[in-house]
């Protein structure tokens, strides 16, 4: 398996899975993809149906990471996908499944269900990939005798998933910037209560955008970055995307009885990482009917899938919503899909994403490329705060199931794309406790809290408050990496 950039770099060069594991963008600014998607045969699909999650993950990942010896990869996946790690299940009986499928009911002739992806340590789907990344990073760094200092900015989900994945890992430190006093008490406690010496919470006196600007400033200081061995774990990381492919297969097997059936998935989307994994599963041969992209008021992606126009938003045009992990101005993994949509033509991808930088977007309607979107199964929809509140209430009343705001966006949009006889699987991306305010608004009651999280707000917290100043952050990191 060789990896190439969506903008053309690396064609004719050799880039293995391990080569691109620790990096971010390709050197030409593009995103890495395999030179071709591995295909799953009918025999394999039949055999995989019975596999436990960890072994299914092994079978899928080995197709993308053939430079890691099988016995090592098997050990890594078995250590990652355990009932101990994904222990925050709503129903104990499901603990061994890692991503249980919860059937809601039949609507419009279509079985409607939720694929629970948020039973990991931080109660959001990012754990599914990040936990594997922690183990892969530790393994790869040890092999090459290297260390890594991860620098990131978070307003919640990504940062805590990264910290819980990297805590206690040899050769890795995490420096996570978050806006001082701007996160919910629950999210603050989740991150700041970690006492591991390799985890550094930095509360920046500013807002989330300031934190992101500091990370950018540090990343642009190439000498510093190289000297301090700074890396990132953002959503464009290829290993994160590929780890997410696994649960599309798992969800398919749980929702069907035979491999002749087809299913649709609805994916609450922001940076297009999650649904990009669904696209890859489909390209590998998983029988997927529709991939439904659900957005909130930040509807960059819905606009594209309805009109063929991709128009990134300015930060002033980006709404702060009650499904905050989908509040994006541009979708950082979208380029991977555009590459496939355009028949893998790196010259055109390069031109289009130059247009994004220079003109704020591009239009594929006129060129006729947009018509091909259907061949890839994509459709979309958007949801608002009122839709979320209504959907949370409705799912609770009809199905006795409490869902979070992001999942509610998914259910709302899924209902607009049901097809009789085709199971619709909505990906559950977080647990309600993380977004309690909207639960209280919708249901006039407290969100369900998994047992492991009782009283976390009262635990001692470990964090450092720093001025909104990249130089100050650089000095802080340098003092701790000597
Ligand atoms: C990150 C996140 C999303 C969006 O996923 P993308 O891969 O960025 O599209 C949706 N819901 C929750 C809860 C998230 O944390």
């Amino acid at each position: 398996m060789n990896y190439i950039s969506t903008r053309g770099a690396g064609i004719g060069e050799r880039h293995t899975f391990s080569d691109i594991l620790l990096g971010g963008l390709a050197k030409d600014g593009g995103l890495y993809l395999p030179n071709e998607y591995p295909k799953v045969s009918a025999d394999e699909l039949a055999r995989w149906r019975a596999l436990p999650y960890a072994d299914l993950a092994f079978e899928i990942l080995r197709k993308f990471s053939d430079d890691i010896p099988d016995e090592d990869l098997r050990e890594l996946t078995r250590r990652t996908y355990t009932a101990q790690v994904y222990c925050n299940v709503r129903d104990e009986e499901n603990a061994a499944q890692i991503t249980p499928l919860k059937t809601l009911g039949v609507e419009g002739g279509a079985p409607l269900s939720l694929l629970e992806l948020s039973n990991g340590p931080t109660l959001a789907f990012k754990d599914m990939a990040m936990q594997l990344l922690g183990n892969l990073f530790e393994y790869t760094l040890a092999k090459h005798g290297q260390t890594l200092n991860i620098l990131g900015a978070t307003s919640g989900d990504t940062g805590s998933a990264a910290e819980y994945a990297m805590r206690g890992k040899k050769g890795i430190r995490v420096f996570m910037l978050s806006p001082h006093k701007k996160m919910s008490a629950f999210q603050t406690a989740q991150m700041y209560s970690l006492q591991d010496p390799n985890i550094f919470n930095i509360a920046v006196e500013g807002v989330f955008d300031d934190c992101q600007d500091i990370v950018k400033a540090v990343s642009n200081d190439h000498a510093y970055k190289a000297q301090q061995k700074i890396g990132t774990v953002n959503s464009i990381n290829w290993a994160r995307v590929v780890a997410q492919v696994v649960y599309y297969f798992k969800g398919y097997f749980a929702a069907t009885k035979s491999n002749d059936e087809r299913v649709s998935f609805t994916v609450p989307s922001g940076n297009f990482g999650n649904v990009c994994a669904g696209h890859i599963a489909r390209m590998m041969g998983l029988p997927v009917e529709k991939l439904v992209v659900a957005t909130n008021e930040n509807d960059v992606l819905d606009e594209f899938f309805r009109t063929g126009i991709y128009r990134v938003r300015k930060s002033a045009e980006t709404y702060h919503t009650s499904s905050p992990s989908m509040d994006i101005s541009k979708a950082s993994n979208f380029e991977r899909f555009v590459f496939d949509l355009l028949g893998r033509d790196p010259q055109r991808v390069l031109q289009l994403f130059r247009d994004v930088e220079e003109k704020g977007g591009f239009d594929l309607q006129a060129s006729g490329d947009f018509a091909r979107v259907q061949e890839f199964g994509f459709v979309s929809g958007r949801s608002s705060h009122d839709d979320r509140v209504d959907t949370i209430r409705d799912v609770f009343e009809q199905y006795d199931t409490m869902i979070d705001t992001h999942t509610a966006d998914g259910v709302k949009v899924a209902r607009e794309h049901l097809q009789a006889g085709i199971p619709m699987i909505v990906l559950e991306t977080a647990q309600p406790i993380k977004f309690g305010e909207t639960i209280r608004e919708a249901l006039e009651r407290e969100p369900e809290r998994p047992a492991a999280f009782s009283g976390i707000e009262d635990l001692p917290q470990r964090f450092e408050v720093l001025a909104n100043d990249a130089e100050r952050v650089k000095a802080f990191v340098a003092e701790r990496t000597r």
Side-chain angles (χ1 to χ4, degrees), residues 282-283 305 337-344 348 364 368-378:
R282 193 177 165 283
M283 298 299 278
F305 285 107
F337 172 67
V338 172
F339 184 64
D340 289 338
L341 181 68
L342 299 180
R344 305 199 132 211
R348 289 200 55 211
L364 292 184
D369 296 299
F370 181 59
R372 293 195 63 217
V373 161
Q374 321 179 351
E375 292 170 31
F376 291 89
F378 275 93

PDB file of all heavy atoms in Angstrom, residues 282-283 305 337-344 348 364 368-378:
ATOM      1  N   ARG A 282     -17.522   2.205   1.669  1.00  0.00           N
ATOM      2  CA  ARG A 282     -18.328   1.947   0.472  1.00  0.00           C
ATOM      3  C   ARG A 282     -17.434   1.667  -0.749  1.00  0.00           C
ATOM      4  O   ARG A 282     -17.705   0.751  -1.528  1.00  0.00           O
ATOM      5  CB  ARG A 282     -19.218   3.167   0.223  1.00  0.00           C
ATOM      6  CG  ARG A 282     -20.311   2.923  -0.778  1.00  0.00           C
ATOM      7  CD  ARG A 282     -21.212   4.146  -0.917  1.00  0.00           C
ATOM      8  NE  ARG A 282     -22.008   4.013  -2.111  1.00  0.00           N
ATOM      9  CZ  ARG A 282     -21.534   4.235  -3.340  1.00  0.00           C
ATOM     10  NH1 ARG A 282     -20.296   4.658  -3.505  1.00  0.00           N
ATOM     11  NH2 ARG A 282     -22.297   4.049  -4.389  1.00  0.00           N
ATOM     12  N   MET A 283     -16.350   2.412  -0.870  1.00  0.00           N
ATOM     13  CA  MET A 283     -15.417   2.193  -1.978  1.00  0.00           C
ATOM     14  C   MET A 283     -14.747   0.818  -1.875  1.00  0.00           C
ATOM     15  O   MET A 283     -14.364   0.216  -2.878  1.00  0.00           O
ATOM     16  CB  MET A 283     -14.330   3.283  -2.010  1.00  0.00           C
ATOM     17  CG  MET A 283     -14.834   4.691  -2.237  1.00  0.00           C
ATOM     18  SD  MET A 283     -15.701   4.939  -3.799  1.00  0.00           S
ATOM     19  CE  MET A 283     -14.309   5.161  -4.908  1.00  0.00           C
ATOM     20  N   PHE A 305     -23.695  19.535  -1.076  1.00  0.00           N
ATOM     21  CA  PHE A 305     -24.385  18.337  -1.577  1.00  0.00           C
ATOM     22  C   PHE A 305     -25.761  18.663  -2.178  1.00  0.00           C
ATOM     23  O   PHE A 305     -26.301  17.868  -2.927  1.00  0.00           O
ATOM     24  CB  PHE A 305     -24.474  17.263  -0.483  1.00  0.00           C
ATOM     25  CG  PHE A 305     -23.143  16.580  -0.266  1.00  0.00           C
ATOM     26  CD1 PHE A 305     -22.385  16.827   0.869  1.00  0.00           C
ATOM     27  CD2 PHE A 305     -22.626  15.725  -1.239  1.00  0.00           C
ATOM     28  CE1 PHE A 305     -21.136  16.223   1.038  1.00  0.00           C
ATOM     29  CE2 PHE A 305     -21.384  15.123  -1.078  1.00  0.00           C
ATOM     30  CZ  PHE A 305     -20.635  15.370   0.065  1.00  0.00           C
ATOM     31  N   PHE A 337     -12.654  13.491  -0.457  1.00  0.00           N
ATOM     32  CA  PHE A 337     -13.787  13.080  -1.290  1.00  0.00           C
ATOM     33  C   PHE A 337     -13.735  13.750  -2.667  1.00  0.00           C
ATOM     34  O   PHE A 337     -14.000  13.110  -3.693  1.00  0.00           O
ATOM     35  CB  PHE A 337     -15.112  13.395  -0.585  1.00  0.00           C
ATOM     36  CG  PHE A 337     -16.292  13.177  -1.483  1.00  0.00           C
ATOM     37  CD1 PHE A 337     -16.620  11.895  -1.917  1.00  0.00           C
ATOM     38  CD2 PHE A 337     -17.044  14.251  -1.937  1.00  0.00           C
ATOM     39  CE1 PHE A 337     -17.692  11.689  -2.780  1.00  0.00           C
ATOM     40  CE2 PHE A 337     -18.116  14.049  -2.798  1.00  0.00           C
ATOM     41  CZ  PHE A 337     -18.439  12.766  -3.227  1.00  0.00           C
ATOM     42  N   VAL A 338     -13.384  15.022  -2.690  1.00  0.00           N
ATOM     43  CA  VAL A 338     -13.318  15.744  -3.966  1.00  0.00           C
ATOM     44  C   VAL A 338     -12.331  15.055  -4.917  1.00  0.00           C
ATOM     45  O   VAL A 338     -12.579  14.934  -6.120  1.00  0.00           O
ATOM     46  CB  VAL A 338     -12.944  17.232  -3.734  1.00  0.00           C
ATOM     47  CG1 VAL A 338     -12.682  17.950  -5.048  1.00  0.00           C
ATOM     48  CG2 VAL A 338     -14.052  17.934  -2.952  1.00  0.00           C
ATOM     49  N   PHE A 339     -11.237  14.571  -4.371  1.00  0.00           N
ATOM     50  CA  PHE A 339     -10.237  13.846  -5.163  1.00  0.00           C
ATOM     51  C   PHE A 339     -10.881  12.644  -5.873  1.00  0.00           C
ATOM     52  O   PHE A 339     -10.703  12.433  -7.082  1.00  0.00           O
ATOM     53  CB  PHE A 339      -9.126  13.392  -4.214  1.00  0.00           C
ATOM     54  CG  PHE A 339      -7.949  12.714  -4.862  1.00  0.00           C
ATOM     55  CD1 PHE A 339      -7.126  13.385  -5.756  1.00  0.00           C
ATOM     56  CD2 PHE A 339      -7.632  11.393  -4.528  1.00  0.00           C
ATOM     57  CE1 PHE A 339      -6.017  12.755  -6.319  1.00  0.00           C
ATOM     58  CE2 PHE A 339      -6.525  10.761  -5.087  1.00  0.00           C
ATOM     59  CZ  PHE A 339      -5.724  11.445  -5.991  1.00  0.00           C
ATOM     60  N   ASP A 340     -11.664  11.877  -5.139  1.00  0.00           N
ATOM     61  CA  ASP A 340     -12.344  10.719  -5.744  1.00  0.00           C
ATOM     62  C   ASP A 340     -13.433  11.158  -6.721  1.00  0.00           C
ATOM     63  O   ASP A 340     -13.589  10.578  -7.795  1.00  0.00           O
ATOM     64  CB  ASP A 340     -12.952   9.829  -4.656  1.00  0.00           C
ATOM     65  CG  ASP A 340     -11.881   9.076  -3.873  1.00  0.00           C
ATOM     66  OD1 ASP A 340     -10.758   8.915  -4.408  1.00  0.00           O
ATOM     67  OD2 ASP A 340     -12.162   8.643  -2.737  1.00  0.00           O
ATOM     68  N   LEU A 341     -14.158  12.203  -6.334  1.00  0.00           N
ATOM     69  CA  LEU A 341     -15.250  12.690  -7.184  1.00  0.00           C
ATOM     70  C   LEU A 341     -14.723  13.118  -8.561  1.00  0.00           C
ATOM     71  O   LEU A 341     -15.376  12.918  -9.584  1.00  0.00           O
ATOM     72  CB  LEU A 341     -15.953  13.866  -6.490  1.00  0.00           C
ATOM     73  CG  LEU A 341     -17.136  14.486  -7.233  1.00  0.00           C
ATOM     74  CD1 LEU A 341     -18.307  13.506  -7.293  1.00  0.00           C
ATOM     75  CD2 LEU A 341     -17.581  15.782  -6.559  1.00  0.00           C
ATOM     76  N   LEU A 342     -13.531  13.706  -8.569  1.00  0.00           N
ATOM     77  CA  LEU A 342     -12.952  14.199  -9.824  1.00  0.00           C
ATOM     78  C   LEU A 342     -12.104  13.133 -10.507  1.00  0.00           C
ATOM     79  O   LEU A 342     -11.205  13.451 -11.296  1.00  0.00           O
ATOM     80  CB  LEU A 342     -12.099  15.445  -9.564  1.00  0.00           C
ATOM     81  CG  LEU A 342     -12.857  16.636  -8.969  1.00  0.00           C
ATOM     82  CD1 LEU A 342     -11.923  17.805  -8.759  1.00  0.00           C
ATOM     83  CD2 LEU A 342     -14.025  17.043  -9.854  1.00  0.00           C
ATOM     84  N   GLY A 343     -12.373  11.883 -10.202  1.00  0.00           N
ATOM     85  CA  GLY A 343     -11.630  10.813 -10.850  1.00  0.00           C
ATOM     86  C   GLY A 343     -10.155  10.821 -10.503  1.00  0.00           C
ATOM     87  O   GLY A 343      -9.314  10.420 -11.297  1.00  0.00           O
ATOM     88  N   ARG A 344      -9.828  11.304  -9.295  1.00  0.00           N
ATOM     89  CA  ARG A 344      -8.455  11.293  -8.779  1.00  0.00           C
ATOM     90  C   ARG A 344      -7.499  12.088  -9.669  1.00  0.00           C
ATOM     91  O   ARG A 344      -6.413  11.607 -10.026  1.00  0.00           O
ATOM     92  CB  ARG A 344      -7.964   9.856  -8.562  1.00  0.00           C
ATOM     93  CG  ARG A 344      -8.906   9.044  -7.654  1.00  0.00           C
ATOM     94  CD  ARG A 344      -8.228   7.829  -7.069  1.00  0.00           C
ATOM     95  NE  ARG A 344      -8.492   7.757  -5.630  1.00  0.00           N
ATOM     96  CZ  ARG A 344      -7.653   7.226  -4.732  1.00  0.00           C
ATOM     97  NH1 ARG A 344      -6.505   6.747  -5.108  1.00  0.00           N
ATOM     98  NH2 ARG A 344      -7.948   7.213  -3.460  1.00  0.00           N
ATOM     99  N   ARG A 348      -6.524  19.082 -10.902  1.00  0.00           N
ATOM    100  CA  ARG A 348      -7.786  19.802 -10.681  1.00  0.00           C
ATOM    101  C   ARG A 348      -8.043  20.043  -9.193  1.00  0.00           C
ATOM    102  O   ARG A 348      -8.556  21.090  -8.816  1.00  0.00           O
ATOM    103  CB  ARG A 348      -8.950  19.031 -11.314  1.00  0.00           C
ATOM    104  CG  ARG A 348      -8.885  19.098 -12.834  1.00  0.00           C
ATOM    105  CD  ARG A 348     -10.214  18.800 -13.475  1.00  0.00           C
ATOM    106  NE  ARG A 348     -11.288  19.657 -12.994  1.00  0.00           N
ATOM    107  CZ  ARG A 348     -12.558  19.283 -12.917  1.00  0.00           C
ATOM    108  NH1 ARG A 348     -12.899  18.061 -13.271  1.00  0.00           N
ATOM    109  NH2 ARG A 348     -13.480  20.117 -12.487  1.00  0.00           N
ATOM    110  N   LEU A 364     -18.930  23.200  -8.608  1.00  0.00           N
ATOM    111  CA  LEU A 364     -18.805  22.037  -9.500  1.00  0.00           C
ATOM    112  C   LEU A 364     -20.080  21.785 -10.299  1.00  0.00           C
ATOM    113  O   LEU A 364     -20.160  20.826 -11.071  1.00  0.00           O
ATOM    114  CB  LEU A 364     -18.465  20.776  -8.690  1.00  0.00           C
ATOM    115  CG  LEU A 364     -17.082  20.747  -8.041  1.00  0.00           C
ATOM    116  CD1 LEU A 364     -16.849  19.402  -7.364  1.00  0.00           C
ATOM    117  CD2 LEU A 364     -15.979  21.019  -9.062  1.00  0.00           C
ATOM    118  N   GLY A 368     -20.296  19.844 -14.523  1.00  0.00           N
ATOM    119  CA  GLY A 368     -20.896  18.526 -14.682  1.00  0.00           C
ATOM    120  C   GLY A 368     -20.368  17.496 -13.704  1.00  0.00           C
ATOM    121  O   GLY A 368     -20.913  16.392 -13.594  1.00  0.00           O
ATOM    122  N   ASP A 369     -19.318  17.830 -12.954  1.00  0.00           N
ATOM    123  CA  ASP A 369     -18.766  16.873 -11.983  1.00  0.00           C
ATOM    124  C   ASP A 369     -19.747  16.589 -10.860  1.00  0.00           C
ATOM    125  O   ASP A 369     -19.764  15.506 -10.286  1.00  0.00           O
ATOM    126  CB  ASP A 369     -17.491  17.430 -11.346  1.00  0.00           C
ATOM    127  CG  ASP A 369     -16.408  17.620 -12.368  1.00  0.00           C
ATOM    128  OD1 ASP A 369     -16.002  16.619 -12.972  1.00  0.00           O
ATOM    129  OD2 ASP A 369     -15.983  18.775 -12.571  1.00  0.00           O
ATOM    130  N   PHE A 370     -20.572  17.595 -10.569  1.00  0.00           N
ATOM    131  CA  PHE A 370     -21.471  17.454  -9.433  1.00  0.00           C
ATOM    132  C   PHE A 370     -22.453  16.302  -9.634  1.00  0.00           C
ATOM    133  O   PHE A 370     -22.841  15.635  -8.684  1.00  0.00           O
ATOM    134  CB  PHE A 370     -22.215  18.773  -9.196  1.00  0.00           C
ATOM    135  CG  PHE A 370     -23.144  18.710  -8.019  1.00  0.00           C
ATOM    136  CD1 PHE A 370     -22.659  18.407  -6.758  1.00  0.00           C
ATOM    137  CD2 PHE A 370     -24.498  18.938  -8.179  1.00  0.00           C
ATOM    138  CE1 PHE A 370     -23.509  18.333  -5.665  1.00  0.00           C
ATOM    139  CE2 PHE A 370     -25.357  18.863  -7.089  1.00  0.00           C
ATOM    140  CZ  PHE A 370     -24.866  18.560  -5.832  1.00  0.00           C
ATOM    141  N   ALA A 371     -22.834  16.063 -10.887  1.00  0.00           N
ATOM    142  CA  ALA A 371     -23.793  14.986 -11.177  1.00  0.00           C
ATOM    143  C   ALA A 371     -23.286  13.643 -10.655  1.00  0.00           C
ATOM    144  O   ALA A 371     -24.073  12.755 -10.306  1.00  0.00           O
ATOM    145  CB  ALA A 371     -24.048  14.917 -12.677  1.00  0.00           C
ATOM    146  N   ARG A 372     -21.970  13.490 -10.567  1.00  0.00           N
ATOM    147  CA  ARG A 372     -21.401  12.208 -10.136  1.00  0.00           C
ATOM    148  C   ARG A 372     -21.574  11.954  -8.635  1.00  0.00           C
ATOM    149  O   ARG A 372     -21.344  10.832  -8.178  1.00  0.00           O
ATOM    150  CB  ARG A 372     -19.912  12.147 -10.498  1.00  0.00           C
ATOM    151  CG  ARG A 372     -19.654  12.109 -11.995  1.00  0.00           C
ATOM    152  CD  ARG A 372     -18.226  11.686 -12.289  1.00  0.00           C
ATOM    153  NE  ARG A 372     -17.931  10.335 -11.836  1.00  0.00           N
ATOM    154  CZ  ARG A 372     -16.756   9.959 -11.311  1.00  0.00           C
ATOM    155  NH1 ARG A 372     -15.782  10.829 -11.175  1.00  0.00           N
ATOM    156  NH2 ARG A 372     -16.561   8.713 -10.941  1.00  0.00           N
ATOM    157  N   VAL A 373     -21.945  12.995  -7.883  1.00  0.00           N
ATOM    158  CA  VAL A 373     -22.113  12.830  -6.440  1.00  0.00           C
ATOM    159  C   VAL A 373     -23.054  11.665  -6.136  1.00  0.00           C
ATOM    160  O   VAL A 373     -22.823  10.887  -5.209  1.00  0.00           O
ATOM    161  CB  VAL A 373     -22.622  14.154  -5.808  1.00  0.00           C
ATOM    162  CG1 VAL A 373     -23.249  13.909  -4.446  1.00  0.00           C
ATOM    163  CG2 VAL A 373     -21.478  15.144  -5.681  1.00  0.00           C
ATOM    164  N   GLN A 374     -24.120  11.540  -6.947  1.00  0.00           N
ATOM    165  CA  GLN A 374     -25.087  10.452  -6.719  1.00  0.00           C
ATOM    166  C   GLN A 374     -24.447   9.078  -6.834  1.00  0.00           C
ATOM    167  O   GLN A 374     -24.818   8.164  -6.111  1.00  0.00           O
ATOM    168  CB  GLN A 374     -26.206  10.430  -7.748  1.00  0.00           C
ATOM    169  CG  GLN A 374     -26.737  11.719  -8.193  1.00  0.00           C
ATOM    170  CD  GLN A 374     -27.835  11.477  -9.234  1.00  0.00           C
ATOM    171  OE1 GLN A 374     -28.037  10.354  -9.697  1.00  0.00           O
ATOM    172  NE2 GLN A 374     -28.545  12.529  -9.584  1.00  0.00           N
ATOM    173  N   GLU A 375     -23.511   8.938  -7.760  1.00  0.00           N
ATOM    174  CA  GLU A 375     -22.841   7.641  -7.920  1.00  0.00           C
ATOM    175  C   GLU A 375     -22.142   7.219  -6.641  1.00  0.00           C
ATOM    176  O   GLU A 375     -21.898   6.042  -6.412  1.00  0.00           O
ATOM    177  CB  GLU A 375     -21.768   7.695  -9.020  1.00  0.00           C
ATOM    178  CG  GLU A 375     -22.304   7.859 -10.409  1.00  0.00           C
ATOM    179  CD  GLU A 375     -21.169   8.151 -11.400  1.00  0.00           C
ATOM    180  OE1 GLU A 375     -20.033   7.666 -11.185  1.00  0.00           O
ATOM    181  OE2 GLU A 375     -21.430   8.898 -12.362  1.00  0.00           O
ATOM    182  N   PHE A 376     -21.784   8.210  -5.818  1.00  0.00           N
ATOM    183  CA  PHE A 376     -21.097   7.911  -4.567  1.00  0.00           C
ATOM    184  C   PHE A 376     -22.072   7.790  -3.398  1.00  0.00           C
ATOM    185  O   PHE A 376     -21.657   7.625  -2.259  1.00  0.00           O
ATOM    186  CB  PHE A 376     -20.043   8.987  -4.278  1.00  0.00           C
ATOM    187  CG  PHE A 376     -18.882   8.952  -5.236  1.00  0.00           C
ATOM    188  CD1 PHE A 376     -18.907   9.677  -6.418  1.00  0.00           C
ATOM    189  CD2 PHE A 376     -17.765   8.172  -4.963  1.00  0.00           C
ATOM    190  CE1 PHE A 376     -17.840   9.639  -7.302  1.00  0.00           C
ATOM    191  CE2 PHE A 376     -16.696   8.130  -5.841  1.00  0.00           C
ATOM    192  CZ  PHE A 376     -16.733   8.857  -7.020  1.00  0.00           C
ATOM    193  N   GLY A 377     -23.372   7.916  -3.680  1.00  0.00           N
ATOM    194  CA  GLY A 377     -24.391   7.679  -2.658  1.00  0.00           C
ATOM    195  C   GLY A 377     -24.662   8.844  -1.717  1.00  0.00           C
ATOM    196  O   GLY A 377     -25.419   8.695  -0.764  1.00  0.00           O
ATOM    197  N   PHE A 378     -24.018  10.002  -1.952  1.00  0.00           N
ATOM    198  CA  PHE A 378     -24.144  11.095  -0.989  1.00  0.00           C
ATOM    199  C   PHE A 378     -25.440  11.899  -1.148  1.00  0.00           C
ATOM    200  O   PHE A 378     -25.821  12.263  -2.266  1.00  0.00           O
ATOM    201  CB  PHE A 378     -22.963  12.061  -1.123  1.00  0.00           C
ATOM    202  CG  PHE A 378     -21.759  11.638  -0.333  1.00  0.00           C
ATOM    203  CD1 PHE A 378     -20.762  10.879  -0.927  1.00  0.00           C
ATOM    204  CD2 PHE A 378     -21.621  11.988   0.995  1.00  0.00           C
ATOM    205  CE1 PHE A 378     -19.642  10.472  -0.199  1.00  0.00           C
ATOM    206  CE2 PHE A 378     -20.509  11.595   1.736  1.00  0.00           C
ATOM    207  CZ  PHE A 378     -19.527  10.839   1.130  1.00  0.00           C
TER     208      PHE A 378
END
